[in-house]
Amino acid sequence: QAATAILSPVPIQSKKASLTVMEAPHFVQYIKDSLIQNDSLGINEQQLYEWWYEITTTLDLSINERLDQLNKQYSGQALSFWAKNRSILVTDMKDGAILWYIGSLDTTKSDIQGQVDMVRAKRQIGSTIKPLIYAYGLMSYPIGLDTIIVDRKKDFGGGFNPSNADNHTKWPMRLKNALAWSRNIPAVKMTDALGGEKTIKPFLQSIGMKSLSNKQNYGLPIGLGVGEISMLELAQSYMEFVDTENVGIIHGIQTIRTQLGDTIFEHEWYSYKRTIPLWVARLISYILSTAEFAPWYFRAMITVPKCRNCASKTGTTNMKVNGKNAARDAWIVTFSPRALITIRAGNSDASAMKKEAYGFTINTDIRNDIIKLLQEQWYMSDSDARQFPETETKRHSWQGEWYKQPNKSTLPNSVVRKLQ
């Protein structure tokens, strides 16, 4: 009977395959890749599937689903600017834990290339880089919030003659206003005064922008955010503005256990060595949270309801369509002492949006609702305190607040000339 059973063909009855919808698919893929790429864990893809690891992540899944619905709720508004997609990353500002992760509007929609994870896709970041450029300026020289930068046209050589978004110039501006107004020409002048790409690129790489290539020549436009990086990298760089001595590393894994219950990894506290001094971080946060420093059309974006300590910066990248400017990526980054929100609206295939699709016009409303959700879940409070810089800075001559650097009391003439 045994021999007959062995020699007899096995009857096969086909069944219709059932599909299981994965929850937070882009985040799951990010976790999988993080595990495999972490050489210290020694886990390969085959082991990950066969060895039954128990992985505890930082994601709040139920709230992530609410955020996903919120993203879909605002999809019509985004589409009115010709943006078919939006990605959102919310992280804990103190330790870098990923709270919510939305890689695209809908992973099942092929017409918007929803399967592409725009949190990890590399894109130009536009003006969101400017707070980091000015932070490097405050670190490098006795530059203050009232240091004058002349907002007027200049040919920087090689045909590079940048203009501002409104195609106007304001002439002499204080640093705090040049940043709050997001003027392009002053940002390029600051980049030039700081040594250009030669010094700026290593600084940006040191705070998390690892995708900036040493093989690529960005030139002075690096100060306008032309380098392509991921949303994760941009968020990591903004972690430098945390109001504590330590800068957390953005992460999604809390613990990893084997099927026997042995813990082989536990995230306790991992931090970058702070690159931007705390006093500089506080000065930049002060600028980005003070509506009076900005033009009237930015003030609704800066004045966040029930979040007096929120600081915000937007960015918009452009492209040419039939010889005319059109928007391509629309960014907003908002952070409080507790949480960091990074949003990008646009199209997965990098196609154009309307010219009016600025970071603040397309993202402010959904940002405000995300903050309400954070407050409902006690991730953020209007009472969150941020220490502003009065006790660590002084007013120096006409330059306004700056740090007490006894060996750097005056600006070199070469720097003054490049800011004019």
Side-chain angles (χ1 to χ4, degrees):
Q1 288 177 336
T4 302
I6 291 172
L7 295 173
S8 299
V10 177
I12 297 174
Q13 182 178 357
S14 63
K15 293 184 178 181
K16 186 177 181 180
S18 60
L19 296 177
T20 301
V21 178
M22 184 186 297
E23 296 175 309
H26 283 137
F27 178 73
V28 171
Q29 187 64 41
Y30 161 72
I31 293 297
K32 173 191 168 185
D33 293 344
S34 298
L35 287 167
I36 295 172
Q37 294 165 10
N38 189 333
D39 294 334
S40 64
L41 292 175
I43 301 174
N44 60 40
E45 189 164 4
Q46 183 177 356
Q47 292 169 340
L48 184 61
Y49 284 112
E50 294 180 355
W51 289 15
W52 294 94
Y53 291 104
E54 180 185 283
I55 302 163
T56 304
T57 73
T58 60
L59 194 78
D60 187 326
L61 184 58
S62 62
I63 308 302
N64 201 71
E65 292 172 351
R66 289 179 61 183
L67 183 61
D68 189 36
Q69 292 302 313
L70 190 64
N71 198 22
K72 290 179 172 62
Q73 177 184 325
Y74 277 96
S75 62
Q77 183 198 45
L79 193 58
S80 69
F81 289 96
W82 300 351
K84 299 176 183 177
N85 216 337
R86 183 187 272 118
S87 50
I88 305 167
L89 180 68
V90 182
T91 54
D92 189 305
M93 192 68 177
K94 291 186 179 295
D95 68 2
I98 294 173
L99 303 175
W100 310 330
Y101 186 120
I102 303 295
S104 72
L105 180 64
D106 191 334
T107 58
T108 66
K109 285 191 172 183
S110 58
D111 59 325
I112 65 169
Q113 297 184 13
Q115 71 277 12
V116 177
D117 182 359
M118 295 307 298
V119 169
R120 290 199 285 167
K122 295 176 178 60
R123 290 289 189 270
Q124 293 180 343
I125 59 172
S127 294
T128 59
I129 201 172
K130 290 173 183 174
L132 302 165
I133 300 298
Y134 286 108
Y136 190 48
L138 290 166
M139 292 165 52
S140 304
Y141 294 107
I143 290 171
L145 300 195
D146 293 329
T147 296
I148 298 298
I149 309 174
V150 181
D151 179 25
R152 63 181 170 189
K153 296 282 285 185
K154 180 180 178 179
D155 189 341
F156 291 90
F160 181 49
N161 188 8
S163 58
N164 295 308
D166 59 4
N167 290 318
H168 296 293
T169 54
K170 299 293 183 184
W171 285 70
M173 299 190 75
R174 301 180 190 277
L175 181 150
K176 61 190 178 188
N177 301 116
L179 173 55
W181 283 67
S182 196
R183 308 301 283 175
N184 290 338
I185 296 172
V188 174
K189 288 186 174 182
M190 180 62 72
T191 302
D192 189 26
L194 293 170
E197 180 184 356
K198 182 179 179 180
T199 57
I200 293 291
K201 183 161 65 177
F203 162 69
L204 295 173
Q205 290 170 331
S206 73
I207 59 174
M209 297 188 185
K210 305 297 185 183
S211 294
L212 293 178
S213 173
N214 289 323
K215 297 180 180 179
Q216 186 169 344
N217 180 21
Y218 300 100
L220 288 178
I222 194 172
L224 297 178
V226 299
E228 293 188 343
I229 64 171
S230 70
M231 180 180 285
L232 281 165
E233 291 174 290
L234 178 61
Q236 182 63 66
S237 299
Y238 267 74
M239 287 291 293
E240 290 278 340
F241 296 130
V242 66
D243 199 49
T244 60
E245 290 293 344
N246 296 315
V247 178
I249 295 177
I250 290 178
H251 63 284
I253 301 173
Q254 290 285 38
T255 59
I256 304 174
R257 293 185 177 89
T258 66
Q259 59 181 324
L260 299 177
D262 298 325
T263 300
I264 62 173
F265 173 83
E266 185 170 5
H267 184 100
E268 295 178 351
W269 172 258
Y270 294 90
S271 64
Y272 274 132
K273 181 180 179 181
R274 177 176 276 286
T275 301
I276 297 176
L278 183 55
W279 63 269
V280 172
R282 288 173 172 170
L283 284 173
I284 296 297
S285 299
Y286 174 49
I287 295 172
L288 298 181
S289 60
T290 305
E292 290 75 15
F293 296 157
W296 63 267
Y297 47 82
F298 278 159
R299 294 185 181 182
M301 178 270 297
I302 296 172
T303 308
V304 183
K306 296 185 179 180
C307 189
R308 290 166 293 179
N309 286 315
C310 277
S312 300
K313 185 70 189 79
T314 61
T316 308
T317 66
N318 297 307
M319 61 189 298
K320 292 288 186 180
V321 178
N322 298 324
K324 296 182 179 180
N325 283 331
R328 185 173 61 182
D329 303 281
W331 296 86
I332 189 169
V333 183
T334 295
F335 59 95
S336 77
R338 291 281 306 279
L340 171 64
I341 303 165
T342 311
I343 305 172
R344 173 197 169 265
N347 297 307
S348 299
D349 61 359
S351 58
M353 299 184 291
K354 286 185 177 180
K355 179 182 178 182
E356 301 80 12
Y358 298 109
F360 65 94
T361 58
I362 196 171
N363 290 320
T364 297
D365 289 342
I366 189 172
R367 186 277 315 269
N368 290 348
D369 277 357
I370 292 171
I371 288 175
K372 289 179 184 177
L373 193 54
L374 278 162
Q375 291 171 339
E376 287 175 10
Q377 301 302 315
W378 299 99
Y379 287 119
M380 182 185 288
S381 169
D382 196 29
S383 62
D384 292 338
R386 176 184 285 120
Q387 298 298 317
F388 281 128
E390 287 80 1
T391 60
E392 298 187 28
T393 61
K394 66 176 182 179
R395 297 191 67 82
H396 176 71
S397 183
W398 48 273
Q399 294 185 61
E401 290 181 297
W402 72 295
Y403 188 59
K404 300 173 183 176
Q405 298 182 82
N407 296 325
K408 296 180 179 180
S409 59
T410 58
L411 271 174
N413 289 332
S414 60
V415 173
V416 173
R417 286 195 297 271
K418 287 187 175 181
L419 296 178
Q420 291 178 347

